[in-house]
Amino acid sequence: MATVEAKKVPAPEGPDGGWGWVLVGALFVCNSLVFGLMRSSGIFFVEFVQYFDESAQSISWISSIGLATQQFISPLGSALSNAYETRVVVMTGGCLAGLGLICASQATSLVHLYLTMGVISGLGWGLVFTPMLATVMAHFTRRRTLALGISLSSVGLSSFAFNPLFQLLVEKYTWRGAILILGGLSLNLVPCGALIRPRRRSEAPVEQNPTSSQRCPSWFQRVSSHLELPLLLERPYVTYVMGITFINVGYFVPYFHLVAHGRQAGFSQYQAAFVMSAAGMSDILGRVVSGWFSDLRLLRLIHVLSLWVMLAGIFIILLPVSSLNGSYPALMVTSLLYGFCSGALTSVVFAVVPNIVGAERTMGALGLLMLIESVAGLLGTPLSGYLKDVTGNYVASFIVAGTFPILGIAIITTLPHYFSCQDPPPPQGRPVKDAGGGIRSEMEQMNSRTSTKAV
């Protein structure tokens, strides 16, 4: 009788909530203390230029190194999470992020800031973001884009709150005291990582006395499987990553230079900071609305992404144009529109990845994506600073930055089945052959755990 009743219950599509909503809250806080802090670092940009008496291009390398390190280390965070415990990896990253900022508060030269605020904090951010993101995605199926939109909306909220807060901290405690306080705040990443539940590992027979010739291929195969290196040989994934890389060149430029552009356009420091805060506020709305709209499945996710990226690129170009005549309302409206579109595209970028590589390879795919696009994060902001030094203003910087997302979408249109109205069948990923301890990806474990409960 129990067997008959069990057959009447339809099998679930996969995990869709539960403890996942707690992790959404944890990712919400993590994004505030990672990308929200990065976006608000434009407040320190002006202070660093004055204190160290360096060019805008030299100062821009601080934020670029931090962003590039975060993205470059992401595959390491993914591999360590696949091989060991995600919660330990994230908690370690939180300690490094706080340590880097605390040390940066004592910097006496730009090199010190490159190593502390750039490398050490960037390393911590890389160990936090991708594992946390993949863990949240593992707990959702039907509402995945909405969950990502809610958790990533904290970037806009923190941008709205952090810019005037950082300005106040700088005025009261100087930039050293402000960065020291941010280092203490960043340590809150540690308890966020502690909320991740430990994984259960399956037992696997251990081969006795393997020969050296067997050990080397086995070790290489294991590292390759954790990093998902075979994805680099698959055309759809490579095409998508290259498109996102071009988008990333111009995406962060307004968040690092919009405040400085506002100051140069003749607005007060609080007016310039509020422009960035307004963009962050509309960013929040854009992420939630985009997540809700995407989960309605009225359009394919790849088409939704293309729409938001195209609009974001156009509004980046219009940012300096809108303030040429000194009109503060025009700059504010353009900033609001850019903030909405830039926030709307973020969750969709990650939600598209399982459709391209398969759910069980998402952790490694996200890590490799971050690694490859780190080149764009390293070059985008210094290129913008160089153009400012050459031209004397930020007009060329924003125009060039806005063309890169449009070029990125042009690359993405070459994906197989891009112009089809329906998604192609999801790719069937290969099961990971585990030679030493039953290690599987977070996504695979969550789905299999849910299936076991349903049976």
Side-chain angles (χ1 to χ4, degrees):
M1 185 66 179
T3 304
V4 175
E5 292 179 354
K7 290 182 179 180
K8 293 181 180 179
V9 179
E13 296 180 6
D16 209 27
W19 187 254
W21 290 113
V22 177
L23 296 177
V24 166
L27 181 57
F28 186 95
V29 175
C30 289
N31 287 323
S32 298
L33 298 176
V34 176
F35 292 104
L37 192 148
M38 284 187 191
R39 287 186 173 190
S40 303
S41 62
I43 299 296
F44 299 104
F45 178 87
V46 178
E47 300 297 324
F48 291 155
V49 169
Q50 296 175 352
Y51 185 86
F52 293 104
D53 193 23
E54 296 284 351
S55 66
Q57 182 184 8
S58 299
I59 301 298
S60 296
W61 279 103
I62 301 172
S63 55
S64 290
I65 291 174
L67 175 62
T69 303
Q70 179 265 321
Q71 295 176 328
F72 188 82
I73 292 298
S74 291
L76 176 62
S78 300
L80 292 175
S81 298
N82 281 333
Y84 303 105
E85 287 292 343
T86 304
R87 69 187 312 193
V88 176
V89 174
V90 174
M91 292 172 71
T92 302
C95 291
L96 289 173
L99 176 64
L101 290 173
I102 292 172
C103 293
S105 67
Q106 306 303 314
T108 57
S109 69
L110 281 185
V111 175
H112 293 168
L113 289 176
Y114 292 159
L115 294 176
T116 55
M117 200 170 179
V119 176
I120 298 177
S121 291
L123 174 61
W125 296 332
L127 296 180
V128 169
F129 178 67
T130 305
M132 280 295 302
L133 181 71
T135 301
V136 169
M137 293 177 69
H139 284 74
F140 292 88
T141 302
R142 184 170 53 86
R143 300 176 182 174
R144 182 177 295 155
T145 313
L146 178 60
L148 289 178
I150 293 174
S151 57
L152 295 174
S153 66
S154 63
V155 179
L157 179 62
S158 57
S159 296
F160 176 75
F162 282 176
N163 277 281
L165 173 63
F166 291 179
Q167 186 67 52
L168 179 63
L169 291 176
V170 168
E171 291 182 357
K172 191 166 185 177
Y173 302 107
T174 74
W175 66 265
R176 293 187 184 277
I179 292 180
L180 180 63
I181 293 173
L182 297 186
L185 287 176
S186 294
L187 293 177
N188 285 287
L189 293 169
V190 177
C192 290
L195 292 173
I196 301 175
R197 290 177 172 175
R199 292 196 309 229
R200 295 180 180 179
R201 302 186 184 277
S202 59
E203 297 295 332
V206 179
E207 183 181 359
Q208 299 294 331
N209 300 323
T211 63
S212 60
S213 61
Q214 290 175 325
R215 274 199 303 265
C216 185
S218 175
W219 177 85
F220 178 79
Q221 183 179 14
R222 186 173 181 179
V223 171
S224 177
S225 66
H226 291 326
L227 292 173
E228 298 292 356
L229 294 181
L231 286 172
L232 298 178
L233 301 177
E234 299 181 9
R235 184 200 159 209
Y237 179 73
V238 173
T239 301
Y240 184 72
V241 169
M242 291 306 297
I244 298 303
T245 301
F246 270 77
I247 294 170
N248 204 44
V249 173
Y251 179 82
F252 286 99
V253 168
Y255 291 101
F256 290 127
H257 288 159
L258 185 56
V259 173
H261 167 69
R263 294 279 295 273
Q264 189 182 58
F267 307 122
S268 69
Q269 58 185 13
Y270 277 99
Q271 282 180 315
F274 188 71
V275 168
M276 196 69 261
S277 297
M281 185 170 57
S282 63
D283 182 293
I284 303 171
L285 182 62
R287 291 172 190 253
V288 177
V289 170
S290 177
W292 167 79
F293 177 76
S294 299
D295 285 339
L296 294 178
R297 297 296 189 264
L298 300 178
L299 296 173
R300 289 180 58 194
L301 282 179
I302 196 70
H303 295 159
V304 174
L305 174 64
S306 301
L307 172 65
W308 295 131
V309 172
M310 186 68 67
L311 291 174
I314 293 173
F315 289 128
I316 291 175
I317 295 174
L318 292 178
L319 278 172
V321 178
S322 63
S323 57
L324 284 178
N325 60 353
S327 175
Y328 188 72
L331 178 62
M332 179 65 71
V333 171
T334 309
S335 300
L336 288 171
L337 293 173
Y338 165 72
F340 183 91
C341 295
S342 66
L345 68 90
T346 306
S347 58
V348 187
V349 166
F350 301 119
V352 169
V353 173
N355 294 343
I356 294 178
V357 304
E360 66 280 353
R361 296 193 291 175
T362 299
M363 176 81 81
L366 289 173
L368 290 175
L369 171 62
M370 293 289 184
L371 169 64
I372 297 172
E373 70 174 2
S374 66
V375 178
L378 183 64
L379 298 178
T381 310
L383 173 61
S384 176
Y386 170 76
L387 291 174
K388 187 269 177 185
D389 291 336
V390 171
T391 62
N393 57 56
Y394 289 96
V395 175
S397 300
F398 282 91
I399 291 176
V400 171
T403 59
F404 277 100
I406 298 174
L407 291 174
I409 286 302
I411 295 174
I412 289 177
T413 57
T414 64
L415 279 171
H417 311 290
Y418 175 85
F419 293 100
S420 174
C421 295
Q422 295 182 349
D423 285 315
Q428 299 297 322
R430 301 180 306 279
V432 178
K433 185 177 180 180
D434 199 347
I439 299 171
R440 296 177 294 172
S441 69
E442 185 79 19
M443 186 75 72
E444 187 181 3
Q445 288 200 25
M446 287 302 306
N447 288 337
S448 64
R449 191 180 304 165
T450 305
S451 302
T452 303
K453 290 181 179 179
V455 174

